[in-house]
Structures are given as structure tokens and as C-alpha cells.
Amino acid sequence: MARKSDLPFGSEFSPSQIDLRRALELADEHGGDWRRFEAEVRTAWFEGHATSEYNRNKLANNTKLGMIAYGIIERDAELTELGRELLALSDDENALHDRLARHILLNLHGMTMVGCIQDMEKAGDPVNLTTLREALAERSIHYPRGGKHPSMMRLWLAKAGVFVGSRWRTDEERIEEILGLNVEQFGELGELSPLQRTFLRALANTGTREPQPANEIAQLATATYGEKFPEKSLPKLVLHGLEDAGYIETTKTTAGRGAKPFLVAPTEKLVADVVEPLLKQLESQTDPKLVALLRRPLPEILADLSSTDKHVAGLALEALAFKLMRLLDMNYVATRLRGTQTGGAEVDLIFESARLVFTRWQIQCKNTARVSLDDVAKEVGLKNFLKSNAIVVVTTGTVGAEARRFANKTMAESNLAIVMLDGTDLNTIAERPARIVRVFRREARHAMTLKTLEP
């Protein structure tokens, strides 16, 4: 049995062949009677495009199947909820194509395809249907050999300005505008200062509702986004305005000596305006149960790792990797091996970042007592294939001495960075999420020592 395509079938459902507004109107008029709908589609666009009645019928049928695959109509040609939403926007062509593009990007693996194309172009690799099919397969996205599925998606996305100029060149600003994933586009957030927006994004990345030291959130924001926060005037320049806007709640600590840092906690408004949109982009890329798990605090995820249910433990392990890398605002790319495939004991994921320079991170999480040399060697062996800059090995147990020595030797002799997090680190981060900065800085200093250049 042939494997089902992960990208939607789109033959003849293309802006170069049909008018989307008219197709929506025909579905609205004849929904429930798919034969009549196909006949009207054939009359509207294909009467002069095929030499035989059979071919004309086939083209009309393909259009219907494409609209079904894109989630616009049901099997009987009735408009879906998305279809009705598109119909309501049909008088505004820009809004219509933007809404369809958002659906493609979030729900039809469009973002995965766009990210794959961007990586290929950065690497200087040619982008065509053959090479793209191979590159997407590396990200576990399949479509039939010889299929034009990406081309149809590209044409619809181009109508919204996602693809511009040359055939496969993307406009990242348009993608952010369409998805609303740029914090500057989140309603009232656009009125905040850059420092305030960055602070909120870092707070949202911690994924916890518990109060946290404001100075640690500022340190996380600095490490993640490069923003420099004024230590003494943090309340005046950042915190008070965010509290007045309803995004955070602050309390003053009383313990300890010297100046007392504020504790900050996110409000429901911050969760709705920032956290949920960031989670929304993952819904089309991974298991919905995983997305639900990401809404839970890190200590609960760590607790699930000891579950006797292998599926629960496997999802928790994957959620752990997501939580850690989301703390640093890395972008999810793909899962190579899920914890459920290894009895809940291992998961391998890939994340990327384009801040200042492009980096690709391999993440291996192990729910085992000890990380061995072989575990690290496997990841190092995949580095060239995945074109990675960094490897993060996370274990709920300990890192073996041989594994650490092998990682040290590899780092000393190459440009690769290998970060090791053990069970103690995880407990520290679970208690104070922003402390991940200290853990990564420790590993960075260690790598820097190993890579010291000879005079």
C-alpha cells in the first residue's frame, strides 16, 4: 500500500488554473451535490482545456479533490469551516489569500517546506521538485515521486507574497505578518519598547506561571536575544509598564541582603497574546498530545518520565527537549527518532536559530541512567549529514566519563560544540527555568577552553 502524502494533493487546484473566489461561490451554491459542483467547475475552467470529455471531467474532479485535500470542502462539496471563512473574505483578495496562506503554513506542513527551502538555498543547493522531495524526506515529510504538491503550495503562497521574485525565494517578513508570530505584531505588544517585548518573550519561553526573579528573566533575554538590560532601572524601564499593560504581576522579595529583586509572573493576557500563538505554530508539525504537554510546567513533564506507560514517557521526553530549546527560543525543525519508538528511552530532534548567524542544533534526550560514549559518537557521526553546528545531549541520569572524554576530544579537534546536561541540571532548570543560561554558559566556557588557539 502506497504511503499517504504529507503534503496536500493540488493538481488543477491552482491559482494559475482557477479563480479561488469563484470556486468558493460554486461550492456555496452546489455544496451537497458534488456531481453538480464538478460540472460547474468543468464549465467554468476546463471546457476548452482538454480534447475529450473524459479529460475535462478528470480535470474538474482533480480540482474538487484538491479543495478537499486543502480542507476547503467536504467530500460532498460542502464548504468546511475554513471554506466558509474564506468565502466571507472573498471580497478582499489580499485577506482571502493571506488566510489561505496561514492555513497552508500552519496546517499543511507549509512552514516545514519553507524552512527546508531556506536551508537549501543557504547551503547553495539547487531547489527543484526532485531535490526538494529528498530534503523533505530527511524531515519526515513525504509526497509521491513525480508529484507537484510543493509547486501547487508555492503558487498559493506566492499569491500572499510568501514566495517572491525567483521561483523559490521566500519573504520572511511576509511570513511573520501572515502568521502573527513576530512579537511586534501581537496587538498591544507593538506599543511596548523593544526591551519590554524582549523581556516578555523570554518570560513566555520559560513556560511557567510561577513567580520568577526578574533579573534572571532579564539574563535569559540577554542570552537569547542579545538585549542589554539596565540592572538598576529594570523596574522603571521594563517592569512597571508591563504590569500597567496587564502582562505581568510583580511582587517584591524580602529575603537576602542588598537590593531586593522583583518576582514576576505571567498573566492570562500574556499567555493568550504570546504563549498560545507560539504553541499554535507547532500544532501542524507534531503530535497534538505533545503540544498539550508543552502547556504543563517542566516539573510535571519530568515526573512523567518515570511513567510505566511507554507512550506517556516517550511524549514527556520529547516535550522535555522542546521545553529546553524553547527556553532559548530555538525553532523546531524535525523529529528524527521519537521516545515512543525506543520505549520512552530516547528522542532525537533538530532545532535551528537565525539570530546573528545561522545555527543548527541536534538534540538527543535520554531517559536512561547513563550516557555512553556510543551515544555521543552516534550524534557526532550524524553531524555532517545534518549540517549541524551544535549537539545537545540531555540525560535524566549522568554523563559517563568516557562519553565526556570523547566529547572533549571531538570539540578540541573540530568546530563542533557539544553541550551536556544531566539530571542535576534538569532539576535546577525545573526549579528556576532561567537558570538554563548558567548551564549553557558553563558548557560554553568549557568548549572555549578546549578550543583555545595556540599563540
Side-chain angles (χ1 to χ4, degrees):
M1 182 176 178
R3 178 181 170 184
K4 182 180 178 182
S5 174
D6 295 306
L7 300 184
F9 172 83
S11 183
E12 278 66 61
F13 178 60
S14 158
S16 63
Q17 292 187 280
I18 66 145
D19 176 69
L20 180 57
R21 174 179 176 176
R22 182 59 183 148
L24 292 167
E25 291 172 346
L26 291 176
D28 187 43
E29 293 173 20
H30 307 294
D33 184 351
W34 65 265
R35 290 184 176 84
R36 178 66 184 277
F37 173 73
E38 280 193 18
E40 293 294 333
V41 168
R42 183 188 63 203
T43 299
W45 293 296
F46 301 115
E47 286 296 351
H49 290 192
T51 57
S52 69
E53 183 177 358
Y54 171 82
N55 286 337
R56 291 192 292 272
N57 290 338
K58 182 64 175 177
L59 294 174
N61 178 253
N62 283 345
T63 301
K64 182 195 74 175
L65 293 177
M67 293 179 71
I68 293 172
Y70 275 74
I72 296 172
I73 61 173
E74 305 286 0
R75 289 284 172 185
D76 62 357
E78 284 279 5
L79 287 169
T80 62
E81 181 178 348
L82 170 67
R84 290 190 292 273
E85 187 177 345
L86 292 172
L87 180 65
L89 296 171
S90 59
D91 287 336
D92 184 337
E93 185 175 0
N94 290 334
L96 172 63
H97 289 120
D98 281 2
R99 180 64 186 90
L100 179 58
R102 179 181 173 83
H103 171 66
I104 293 171
L105 291 170
L106 289 179
N107 302 318
L108 301 179
H109 295 292
M111 278 302 295
T112 303
M113 184 182 82
V114 166
C116 182
I117 290 168
Q118 290 174 336
D119 285 350
M120 293 173 71
E121 292 202 319
K122 289 171 186 173
D125 297 333
V127 182
N128 54 55
L129 289 177
T130 301
T131 58
L132 183 56
R133 185 175 184 275
E134 295 170 353
L136 284 171
E138 294 176 5
R139 300 180 180 220
S140 300
I141 300 297
H142 164 79
Y143 67 92
R145 188 178 301 276
K148 298 181 179 180
H149 302 53
S151 291
M152 298 303 102
M153 291 172 66
R154 180 186 62 80
L155 289 173
W156 285 116
L157 291 172
K159 295 290 287 186
V162 171
F163 286 95
V164 295
S166 63
R167 185 175 174 84
W168 296 104
R169 185 163 62 88
T170 57
D171 185 332
E172 294 187 15
E173 290 186 4
R174 272 303 287 145
I175 295 172
E176 290 181 344
E177 290 172 2
I178 291 167
L179 296 183
L181 297 178
N182 182 337
V183 292
E184 296 186 15
Q185 304 297 326
F186 291 157
E188 296 176 41
L189 293 176
E191 301 175 6
L192 301 176
S193 71
L195 280 180
Q196 289 173 322
R197 290 196 297 269
T198 302
F199 185 92
L200 281 187
R201 187 69 175 266
L203 179 60
N205 289 343
T206 66
T208 180
R209 304 288 187 94
E210 298 300 317
Q212 303 175 75
N215 60 335
E216 291 188 3
I217 301 302
Q219 290 167 10
L220 177 61
T222 297
T224 306
Y225 304 109
E227 291 280 6
K228 184 69 175 175
F229 286 80
E231 188 173 337
K232 293 184 178 180
S233 55
L234 182 64
K236 178 181 178 181
L237 294 181
V238 177
L239 303 185
H240 295 332
L242 294 179
E243 188 164 35
D244 290 343
Y247 286 113
I248 65 172
E249 294 176 350
T250 67
T251 54
K252 198 77 163 63
T253 57
T254 57
R257 298 179 179 180
K260 309 299 189 295
F262 278 89
L263 295 179
V264 295
T267 63
E268 290 297 330
K269 183 177 181 180
L270 176 60
V271 172
D273 285 4
V274 178
V275 178
E276 287 302 320
L278 292 173
L279 289 173
K280 182 69 176 177
Q281 66 181 307
L282 290 175
E283 289 184 355
S284 65
Q285 295 177 271
T286 189
D287 191 328
K289 292 180 181 178
L290 174 63
V291 178
L293 195 57
L294 293 176
R295 291 183 169 88
R296 295 168 55 191
L298 189 54
E300 293 184 16
I301 293 173
L302 290 175
D304 278 354
L305 290 174
S306 60
S307 172
T308 56
D309 186 323
K310 293 180 179 180
H311 180 67
V312 171
L315 275 179
L317 193 64
E318 192 167 354
L320 171 62
F322 268 94
K323 280 282 191 179
L324 293 175
M325 300 312 287
R326 283 305 306 163
L327 272 170
L328 301 174
D329 202 20
M330 298 291 177
N331 299 315
Y332 170 67
V333 175
T335 299
R336 293 187 290 117
L337 181 65
R338 294 187 182 277
T340 48
Q341 295 174 257
T342 58
E346 182 177 342
V347 64
D348 292 323
L349 300 100
I350 301 171
F351 288 79
E352 294 176 348
S353 173
R355 289 189 297 274
L356 296 182
V357 296
F358 173 76
T359 56
R360 177 172 293 151
W361 299 65
Q362 292 169 228
I363 319 299
Q364 184 189 62
C365 280
K366 296 188 71 65
N367 190 14
T368 54
R370 184 172 170 273
V371 170
S372 69
L373 184 154
D374 288 345
D375 296 324
V376 182
K378 183 190 75 171
E379 294 301 313
V380 172
L382 288 168
K383 172 187 71 79
N384 291 334
F385 176 71
L386 296 173
K387 301 177 183 177
S388 304
N389 310 86
I391 295 171
V392 181
V393 178
V394 182
T395 176
T396 54
T398 61
V399 178
E402 288 187 349
R404 174 60 82 176
R405 282 195 293 270
F406 178 79
N408 289 348
K409 188 173 188 298
T410 300
M411 286 192 285
E413 297 177 355
S414 71
N415 64 347
L416 185 66
I418 303 177
V419 177
M420 302 280 204
L421 278 69
D422 61 19
T424 300
D425 293 326
L426 293 180
N427 290 331
T428 298
I429 296 167
E431 184 180 349
R432 302 271 283 272
R435 291 285 175 91
I436 193 173
V437 173
R438 298 187 183 184
V439 176
F440 270 71
R441 281 178 177 166
R442 178 197 72 204
E443 296 295 298
R445 286 193 295 269
H446 177 66
M448 188 181 300
T449 300
L450 293 170
K451 296 174 183 291
T452 300
L453 296 174
E454 296 293 334

